[in-house]
Amino acid sequence: MSNIPSELKYASSHEWVRVEGDGTVTVGITEHAQELLGDMVFVELPEVGDDVDAGDDVAVAESVKAASDIYAPVSGEIIEVNDDLEDSPELVNSDAFGDGWMFKIKLSDEGELDSLLDAEGYQNVVDEE
């Protein structure tokens, strides 16, 4: 059973979102997603300064099993990416909700956060798979 922290929000496409309280969010993929993908070998991150819309594919996580698109769970501007993943993509496997974060977005519409799932809602998505 995967860990699903209750303080985070989730997209049904398996991204987690940590609301930072300053109009920005941090995004990564869930523990469940990284377990499905297996050992990460490469993570392609978006460019800082890119404007993204919710649902856009903005990054790629490549594992020994498959490559998977990572979607922007909310709209806004990419303000930071986790450069540590360039040399250590395995951080996604070892600490999906911490050091394995992928990118940060400055929100263009904070109302979009309301459309994301809470931990219970995300657990239901995982249970249905």
Side-chain angles (χ1 to χ4, degrees):
M1 176 147 224
S2 296
N3 177 29
I4 303 176
S6 62
E7 70 274 15
L8 301 177
K9 293 182 173 284
Y10 300 89
S12 58
S13 51
H14 305 292
E15 291 83 14
W16 58 260
V17 175
R18 182 174 53 234
V19 179
E20 303 295 352
D22 61 356
T24 68
V25 296
T26 302
V27 179
I29 63 171
T30 65
E31 192 173 288
H32 174 73
Q34 67 83 20
E35 287 173 355
L36 290 175
L37 287 167
D39 294 337
M40 293 293 154
V41 294
F42 181 74
V43 178
E44 181 182 328
L45 296 169
E47 295 289 325
V48 171
D50 284 355
D51 286 318
V52 298
D53 291 322
D56 285 355
D57 57 335
V58 297
V60 176
E62 188 174 331
S63 71
V64 294
K65 292 181 182 176
S68 181
D69 289 333
I70 309 300
Y71 300 96
V74 291
S75 302
E77 178 186 352
I78 303 293
I79 58 169
E80 187 177 349
V81 297
N82 186 353
D83 291 328
D84 291 343
L85 296 180
E86 192 170 303
D87 295 328
S88 304
E90 67 276 7
L91 288 171
V92 176
N93 298 113
S94 63
D95 193 8
F97 296 112
D99 291 342
W101 67 275
M102 294 191 168
F103 50 90
K104 296 184 179 185
I105 297 175
K106 182 178 179 184
L107 298 166
S108 60
D109 179 3
E110 291 195 31
E112 289 181 350
L113 294 171
D114 294 336
S115 65
L116 297 174
L117 301 167
D118 61 13
E120 183 179 343
Y122 181 68
Q123 180 67 59
N124 291 336
V125 169
V126 171
D127 289 346
E128 291 173 8
E129 290 187 348

